[in-house]
Amino acid sequence: MEAMEELSELAESMRQAASLLADDDPSDDAAPRRPTTFLNAVALGNVGAGKSAVLNSLIGHPVLPTGENGATRAPIVVDLQREPGLSSKSIVLQIDSKSQQVSASALRHSLQDRLSRGASGGSGRGRVDEIYLKLRTSTAPSLKLIDLPGIDQRAVDDSMINEYAGHNDAILLIVIPAMQAADVASSRALRLAKDIDADGTRTVGVISKVDQANGDAKTIACVQALLSNKGPKNLPDIEWVALIGQSVAIASAQSVGSENSLETAWRAEAESLKNILTGSPQNKLGRIALVDTIAKQIRKRMKVRVPNLLSGLQGKSQMVQDELARLGESMVQSAEGTRAVALELCREFEDKFLAHITSGEGSGWKIVASFEGKFPDRIKQLPLDRHFDLNNVKRIVLEADGYQPYLISPEKGLRSLIKIVLEMAKEPSRLCVEEVHRVLLDIVNASANATPGLGRYPPFKREVVAIASNALETFKNDAKKMVVALVDMERAFVPPQHFIRLVQRRMERQRREDELRNRSSKKTQEAEQPTSKRASSPQTDAEQGGGSLKSMKDKSGQQDKDTKEGSNLQVAGPAGEITAGYLLKKSAKTNGWSKRWFVLNEKSGKLGYTKKQEERHFRGVITLEECNLEEVEEEEPSKSSKDSKKANGSEKISSLVFKITNRVAYKTVLKAHSAVVLKAESMADKVEWVNKIKAVIQSKGGSFKGPSTEGSSMRQSNSDGALDTMARRPADPEEELRWMSQEVRGYVEAVLNSLAANVPKAIVLCQVEKAKEDMLNQLYSSISGQSNAKIEELLQEDHNAKRRREKYQKQSSLLSKLTRQLSIHDNRASVSSYSNDTTEAESPRTPTRSGEDWRSAFDSASNGPVAGSTNSQSRSKSADGRSRRYENGDVSSGANSGSRRTPNRLPPAPPKY
C-alpha cells in the first residue's frame, strides 16, 4: 500500500508538471484540473466473469453490485482516496464539497436501484449514463476504478471501451473466471486489450473464482500455467494474478468489530490459493499481489513519461527565468532602495537611447536622411531665378540708391539683393531643425518602450519621457537660434574680395580691348607703307611672294589631308553616345602635356579620363553642363623674331588646343583647376571632340567661343571704317548690370552651398550631441532631485506586470520542486530497472517438461475459437496510439514507443493421441 501511495504522489506531481507545460496554474482551484490516467484501472470481461467482485476486493468493501446475470448495466466510476485516519469499516461518500459517511450495503443497494431504473428506462442500444462515486476509505489504494458492463452485452460497444480504456496510461484489468482458463486464447477481452495495448505494458490478467475450480485438475493446471507465464503462444505477454473474489464478503461476514478483519481475510485468501494452486508463484496470489502488480504496471508507465516531462520542465524553467529577468526583481521597500531603482532605470534608458541614436538600431539614420535629402532639396528650390531677374535687379538697385544714383557700380543695391536672397535660407534651416527634433522625440519614445524596467512602472516611464522631451525642446530652440545666426552672419558681411574680383575682371577685359586696338593700328600702318619700297626689289618680292604662296599651299594641303584622313576616336553605345580616344592634357604644375584616355558620355554630359585605356576607374570627371568651351591658340616656346613674324602673319595654321572652363569664374572644373586645357593628336580628332563637347555644353545652356584671329578683326575694322570707334564705344549699362547680377548670383549660390554643409553641423552640435550628454544629465539630476515620496509615487508598478511576476515566481518554485521530485524518481526507476534486468539475466525462465497437466489442459481446449478472428482484425488499431498532448505529461507524439517484448515460450505442443 505504501508503494501505491508513493505512486499517487508521483502521479500528482506529473499532473502538475503537465499543467505547467500547458501554461495552466496547478494551484488554481477555479481552473479546470488536467486529469491524470496513471491511476485509472478499467475492468474488462464477459458477463459473470467477476469484475465487480475483483473491484470490491480492491476497494475493501462490497460496494459494487455482483451477480451472475450481469449486475453491472452501466459504467460505474469509483474515485478512491485513501485516508489512513478512518476506520477500516468506514466509507465516506463525497458529493461536491459535502461529505457523508455511508455503509457498504446501503451504497450497494443504491447502485442496484439506479442500475435497475436505467435498464428499465433504456431502449435498444442507446448509450447509458455513467455512475460516478468519490469515496474515502482507509482500505483502498488511491485509484480510479472503472467497472464496465460485460463486453458481451449489447450496451457495450467499441466507443464505450475506447472512451474508458483507450487512455494512454489506464491499467486494463482483464478478468477471466478460472473455469474458462483453458479457453483463454479465445477470450474477447484479451483481444480487445491486445488491440488497445499492443505491447502489454499496462495490461493485468486477473483469474477470478479460483475456489470454484478446486478439484478440476486440468483447469487448475491451466491457471498455474498462466501464472507461470507459460500460456499459449498467441497469448499476450502480460502479468497474471489469481483471486478467489469473495474475500470481502468473507471478511464482512466474519467481522465482529475487529479492525483487522480485512487483512485477516486477505491473508486467508492467499493461504487458500496456495493450497489450491500448489507450485504457483506466491507473489501472484491474492488481493495484495493484485495491488502490487497494478503498482508495478503503473510504475512502468510512469517511467516512460518521466524523461519527457523532465526535458519539458527544463525548457519551461529556462523560459520562466528569462521572463523573470525581463520583469525584474520586486522593488526594495526602502527609501534608498527606491531611489536606487529609479536611477538604475535611468541608466537602462540611457543605454537604450545611445544604442538607438549611435548604432542605427532605432531611427538615428533619419537624422542623416534629413541632412542629405529634404534640406538640400529645399535649398535648391529657392526662387533664385525670380530674384535675379534683370527687372527685379533694376528695381532693387534703384530702391537701394534712393534719390542719388550710383557712380561706378551699384554696390549698395547688390548688397541689398544678397541680403534678400539669403534671408530665404532661414526657413529651410528651421524646418531641418524641426525634423531632427521629431526624430529625437521618436528615439526617446522608442528607447523608453524598449527598456524592460520602465514597462513595469508606467508613471515613471511617462516622467522620463517628459523630462527628455522638455530638454529636447530647449535644444531645438537653441538650434534654431544657431542656424538663423549662421544665415545672418553671411548676410551681414560680404567679403570685398568678391567685388574686387569683379573690378579686376572688368579691367582685364578693358586691357584686352586696348591690346586689340593697338595691334589693329599697327597692321594698318604697315599696310600704308610706300609702294616704292616694294618696287625697289620686285624679283625678290616675287620670289618671296612665290615662296610664301607655296608655303601657304603646303600648309593648307597638310591641314586638308589631316581632316580628310578621319579621326581615330572610338564610338560605342546604342546610339553612339559614348566617344573615347586619346587627348593631351596640360599640367598646371609643370606646364607640360600628358597623354590621357578620355571618355565622353553625351547622354549624361560627363567627360572622364584615365591614365591608360585599360583602367576601369576614372581619375577625374568633368560635368559639362556647368562649363563653357573655348578654342585657344597653342603657345609655342620662344623662337627667333623671324619665326615670330611668321606666327603672327598669314601663314599661321589652326591650333589643336581647346579649353574647358566653368561658367562661374571662381568655381572649379576638375579637382582644384578652374580650367582644363586639352590638345588633340590631329585636326580630325579635334574637330570631332569639339563638335561633340560643344553639342553637350550648348544643350545645357553653355557657350562656345571660337578662335579670334587678327585677320578677321582687321577685315571687320576696315569694313566698319575705324577701329578706334569700335574699341572706345561706351558699354551698355543694362548689359553691365546683367553681368554683375550673374556674378552676384554665383556668390549667393556658393554661400547657399556653404550653408547646406554648415547648418547640419550646427544642428548636430546643438541637438544631437546635447541629447547624448546634457539631456541625460538633466534626467539624472531631475530624478535625483525628486523627494522619496514623489519617487515612490512614480514607481507604482503595473498590476499586470506584478501579477505576471508573481505567477512566474510561483511557477519557478513549483518547477524546482517538481524537477527535484521527478529526478529522484527517475534515478530510482533506473536503479530498479537495472536490478530487475540483472535478476532476469541471472535466472532466466526455464520451460518445464512437455506432457505436464497444464499442457494437456490447453491441448484439450484447442478446438475452441481461434484467437485471431475476423472481428479482431477488422477492429481499428488501439486508441493507445492516439496522441494526447501533455496528457499525463506525455510530450512525445506516441505513447508506446518501445518495441514489444517477446516472451519465452515452450516449443509447440505435440499432437494429441
Side-chain angles (χ1 to χ4, degrees):
M1 195 71 70
E2 288 77 9
M4 189 61 73
E5 290 302 316
E6 180 185 350
L7 293 177
S8 178
E9 295 176 359
L10 182 60
E12 178 62 19
S13 298
M14 297 178 71
R15 184 196 67 80
Q16 294 180 2
S19 299
L20 278 177
L21 293 177
D23 207 20
D24 295 335
D25 188 1
S27 61
D28 189 3
D29 297 332
R33 290 173 62 88
R34 184 170 295 272
T36 176
T37 60
F38 285 117
L39 304 179
N40 289 11
V42 184
L44 294 176
N46 293 332
V47 175
K51 302 184 300 299
S52 299
V54 171
L55 297 183
N56 281 336
S57 180
L58 289 173
I59 296 172
H61 298 276
V63 173
L64 301 175
T66 58
E68 295 292 336
N69 297 322
T72 306
R73 299 182 181 89
I76 301 176
V77 180
V78 182
D79 193 354
L80 298 174
Q81 182 177 356
R82 186 170 184 269
E83 190 169 335
L86 294 175
S87 171
S88 62
K89 297 178 181 179
S90 299
I91 301 175
V92 178
L93 175 64
Q94 188 169 343
I95 302 175
D96 295 332
S97 59
K98 298 180 181 180
S99 300
Q100 179 181 358
Q101 188 167 356
V102 295
S103 63
S105 59
L107 194 56
R108 184 173 64 254
H109 293 329
S110 176
L111 289 174
Q112 287 175 345
D113 293 341
R114 291 183 62 180
L115 291 173
S116 299
R117 290 196 302 269
S120 61
S123 60
R125 293 177 56 87
R127 291 292 300 272
V128 292
D129 296 335
E130 73 173 22
I131 300 173
Y132 179 79
L133 299 174
K134 189 171 184 180
L135 305 178
R136 285 186 289 142
T137 177
S138 63
T139 59
S142 299
L143 294 173
K144 181 183 283 188
L145 303 179
I146 302 169
D147 189 10
L148 294 180
I151 59 176
D152 50 356
Q153 289 186 1
R154 291 189 306 169
V156 178
D157 55 6
D158 294 347
S159 61
M160 178 185 290
I161 294 173
N162 285 331
E163 180 180 353
Y164 293 99
H167 295 286
N168 286 345
D169 296 294
I171 300 300
L172 307 180
L173 299 178
I174 308 302
V175 183
I176 298 176
M179 297 303 297
Q180 299 178 9
D183 299 327
V184 66
S186 61
S187 172
R188 182 174 176 232
L190 278 176
R191 293 200 303 270
L192 289 174
K194 186 176 180 180
D195 289 341
I196 297 173
D197 180 25
D199 54 1
T201 57
R202 58 190 183 98
T203 304
V204 177
V206 181
I207 304 174
S208 65
K209 304 179 182 180
V210 176
D211 54 335
Q212 298 179 6
N214 191 10
D216 188 345
K218 288 188 177 182
T219 301
I220 295 301
C222 290
V223 173
Q224 289 179 337
L226 291 174
L227 294 176
S228 302
N229 291 332
K230 298 171 184 177
K233 292 187 299 183
N234 58 355
L235 200 65
D237 183 22
I238 61 176
E239 298 289 340
W240 289 91
V241 179
L243 292 179
I244 292 178
Q246 297 299 327
S247 59
V248 176
I250 295 172
S252 299
Q254 293 179 353
S255 62
V256 187
S258 175
E259 289 291 331
N260 298 324
S261 58
L262 276 177
E263 286 78 2
T264 303
W266 289 334
R267 284 195 295 270
E269 177 190 24
E271 292 297 329
S272 300
L273 289 172
K274 290 179 184 178
N275 295 330
I276 297 172
L277 303 172
T278 56
S280 298
Q282 301 298 315
N283 60 348
K284 296 189 177 183
L285 302 179
R287 185 259 188 191
I288 298 175
L290 177 59
V291 173
D292 293 340
T293 304
I294 292 175
K296 179 181 177 182
Q297 296 296 85
I298 292 175
R299 187 175 288 107
K300 286 182 180 179
R301 301 301 299 174
M302 289 182 172
K303 179 183 176 183
V304 175
R305 297 287 186 265
V306 167
N308 291 334
L309 269 178
L310 285 174
S311 177
L313 290 178
Q314 289 174 358
K316 181 73 173 180
S317 178
Q318 184 62 42
M319 187 197 73
V320 169
Q321 295 303 323
D322 293 343
E323 190 66 20
L324 284 175
R326 189 184 68 82
L327 291 174
E329 298 294 335
S330 299
M331 187 175 65
V332 181
Q333 299 299 327
S334 65
E336 293 78 7
T338 302
R339 190 173 296 275
V341 169
L343 294 178
E344 177 64 21
L345 292 176
C346 293
R347 189 193 63 78
E348 293 180 7
F349 170 77
E350 176 186 3
D351 294 341
K352 289 293 181 181
F353 179 78
L354 294 178
H356 276 69
I357 202 170
T358 59
S359 65
E361 180 181 343
S363 303
W365 59 271
K366 293 183 180 180
I367 298 177
V368 180
S370 177
F371 293 158
E372 297 179 352
K374 295 182 180 179
F375 178 60
D377 291 342
R378 292 192 183 105
I379 292 294
K380 291 179 180 178
Q381 292 170 3
L382 294 177
L384 299 183
D385 293 339
R386 176 167 57 84
H387 284 79
F388 284 100
D389 182 70
L390 187 59
N391 295 326
N392 185 63
V393 174
K394 287 181 179 179
R395 179 183 61 81
I396 293 175
V397 169
L398 182 62
E399 293 174 357
D401 289 332
Y403 72 94
Q404 197 170 17
Y406 64 90
L407 299 178
I408 298 177
S409 65
E411 179 178 339
K412 204 172 179 182
L414 295 180
R415 288 182 178 274
S416 176
L417 179 62
I418 291 173
K419 289 184 178 181
I420 293 173
V421 176
L422 292 182
E423 178 71 22
M424 296 187 301
K426 292 182 178 179
E427 187 61 25
S429 302
R430 295 193 190 99
L431 293 177
C432 187
V433 172
E434 292 286 348
E435 288 181 2
V436 174
H437 177 69
R438 287 193 295 269
V439 172
L440 291 175
L441 286 178
D442 293 341
I443 293 177
V444 166
N445 290 306
S447 302
N449 294 331
T451 304
L454 291 180
R456 295 166 51 193
Y457 310 106
F460 189 78
K461 177 181 176 180
R462 291 192 292 269
E463 182 70 14
V464 168
V465 173
I467 294 173
S469 301
N470 292 334
L472 292 179
E473 186 71 24
T474 304
F475 302 155
K476 180 189 74 173
N477 296 332
D478 293 343
K480 283 186 177 180
K481 294 177 182 178
M482 173 69 78
V483 297
V484 169
L486 283 177
V487 178
D488 289 338
M489 177 183 69
E490 298 290 349
R491 294 176 65 245
F493 181 75
V494 179
Q497 290 82 359
H498 182 75
F499 292 96
I500 292 174
R501 286 196 295 268
L502 291 182
V503 176
Q504 289 176 349
R505 292 191 187 96
R506 183 182 301 177
M507 294 175 62
E508 180 67 20
R509 187 176 57 177
Q510 186 65 36
R511 185 183 63 80
R512 288 198 301 269
E513 290 179 354
D514 292 342
E515 289 181 356
L516 180 61
R517 185 182 65 250
N518 295 334
R519 191 179 302 147
S520 299
S521 300
K522 183 179 179 180
K523 294 296 181 183
T524 303
Q525 293 175 1
E526 290 179 356
E528 292 176 354
Q529 287 180 355
T531 56
S532 59
K533 186 178 180 179
R534 292 197 298 269
S536 61
S537 55
Q539 186 171 354
T540 303
D541 291 342
E543 290 177 358
Q544 291 179 354
S548 176
L549 180 60
K550 181 179 181 181
S551 175
M552 290 179 60
K553 286 182 178 181
D554 292 342
K555 293 180 179 179
S556 177
Q558 182 66 27
Q559 292 179 7
D560 295 340
K561 181 179 179 181
D562 293 341
T563 306
K564 292 178 180 180
E565 283 179 355
S567 66
N568 297 321
L569 305 185
Q570 300 179 13
V571 180
E577 68 274 10
I578 297 177
T579 304
Y582 281 106
L583 285 172
L584 297 177
K585 177 177 171 293
K586 191 171 185 179
S587 173
K589 295 181 180 180
T590 63
N591 205 26
W593 297 94
S594 301
K595 190 174 183 180
R596 297 289 183 262
W597 178 260
F598 279 79
V599 178
L600 170 65
N601 191 330
E602 299 180 46
K603 188 174 182 180
S604 62
K606 307 283 186 180
L607 178 65
Y609 74 91
T610 60
K611 188 173 182 180
K612 298 180 181 180
Q613 182 177 353
E614 54 271 12
E615 290 183 9
R616 291 294 176 264
H617 299 285
F618 290 117
R619 301 197 173 208
V621 178
I622 302 173
T623 304
L624 297 178
E625 63 180 5
E626 302 173 355
C627 302
N628 292 329
L629 180 64
E630 179 182 355
E631 288 193 56
V632 297
E633 298 179 0
E634 183 175 359
E635 297 180 2
E636 296 292 342
S638 59
K639 299 180 181 180
S640 62
S641 59
K642 184 177 180 180
D643 294 336
S644 300
K645 289 182 179 180
K646 290 183 178 180
N648 294 329
S650 60
E651 297 177 0
K652 179 182 175 183
I653 62 173
S654 299
S655 174
L656 300 177
V657 182
F658 55 94
K659 181 170 65 174
I660 299 175
T661 58
N662 199 299
R663 298 181 193 176
V664 181
Y666 59 86
K667 288 188 178 181
T668 61
V669 177
L670 178 66
K671 300 179 181 178
H673 306 303
S674 59
V676 177
V677 181
L678 303 175
K679 181 178 180 181
E681 293 184 334
S682 64
M683 183 57 66
D685 290 353
K686 177 194 173 183
V687 170
E688 187 168 354
W689 277 116
V690 169
N691 290 338
K692 292 192 175 185
I693 296 175
K694 178 175 67 176
V696 173
I697 290 177
Q698 290 181 346
S699 66
K700 302 296 183 178
S703 63
F704 169 72
K705 183 178 180 181
S708 57
T709 59
E710 297 175 358
S712 58
S713 301
M714 177 78 69
R715 289 190 296 271
Q716 183 178 4
S717 61
N718 289 336
S719 61
D720 291 341
L723 180 62
D724 295 342
T725 305
M726 181 197 73
R728 297 168 183 261
R729 190 186 322 168
D732 186 2
E734 183 171 325
E735 184 64 25
E736 288 288 329
L737 190 59
R738 178 184 291 108
W739 177 75
M740 284 188 287
S741 67
Q742 291 301 320
E743 291 291 337
V744 171
R745 176 171 182 168
Y747 169 76
V748 170
E749 289 178 350
V751 172
L752 292 177
N753 292 335
S754 175
L755 288 175
N758 292 327
V759 166
K761 299 177 184 178
I763 293 175
V764 168
L765 177 64
C766 295
Q767 288 183 273
V768 181
E769 292 299 323
K770 284 188 176 182
K772 292 165 58 178
E773 296 291 339
D774 296 352
M775 183 194 77
L776 298 174
N777 292 336
Q778 290 183 26
L779 176 63
Y780 282 109
S781 60
S782 177
I783 295 298
S784 300
Q786 300 283 354
S787 64
N788 293 331
K790 179 63 174 179
I791 294 179
E792 290 179 359
E793 180 183 351
L794 293 175
L795 290 178
Q796 293 296 325
E797 189 173 14
D798 183 40
H799 294 294
N800 294 329
K802 188 174 182 180
R803 284 196 300 269
R804 285 199 303 271
R805 186 191 304 104
E806 292 175 354
K807 171 187 173 182
Y808 286 121
Q809 286 176 346
K810 188 184 299 181
Q811 286 187 359
S812 177
S813 176
L814 188 57
L815 280 168
S816 300
K817 174 185 174 183
L818 292 175
T819 303
R820 184 171 58 255
Q821 291 177 353
L822 295 179
S823 298
I824 293 173
H825 176 78
D826 189 34
N827 295 334
R828 288 178 180 175
S830 301
V831 173
S832 176
S833 175
Y834 176 76
S835 300
N836 293 337
D837 294 342
T838 305
T839 303
E840 291 181 3
E842 292 176 353
S843 57
R845 295 177 182 176
T846 56
T848 59
R849 299 184 306 272
S850 62
E852 289 185 354
D853 293 339
W854 64 267
R855 176 65 64 185
S856 302
F858 280 120
D859 289 343
S860 64
S862 61
N863 293 328
V866 183
S869 62
T870 307
N871 185 23
S872 175
Q873 294 177 357
S874 62
R875 173 179 293 276
S876 62
K877 269 298 179 185
S878 73
D880 193 19
R882 294 178 295 172
S883 173
R884 294 175 180 243
R885 183 170 180 82
Y886 294 131
E887 181 180 293
N888 297 330
D890 185 9
V891 294
S892 60
S893 60
N896 300 323
S897 59
S899 60
R900 181 179 177 184
R901 184 164 52 90
T902 305
N904 293 327
R905 301 292 185 187
L906 286 176
K912 293 188 295 182
Y913 298 102

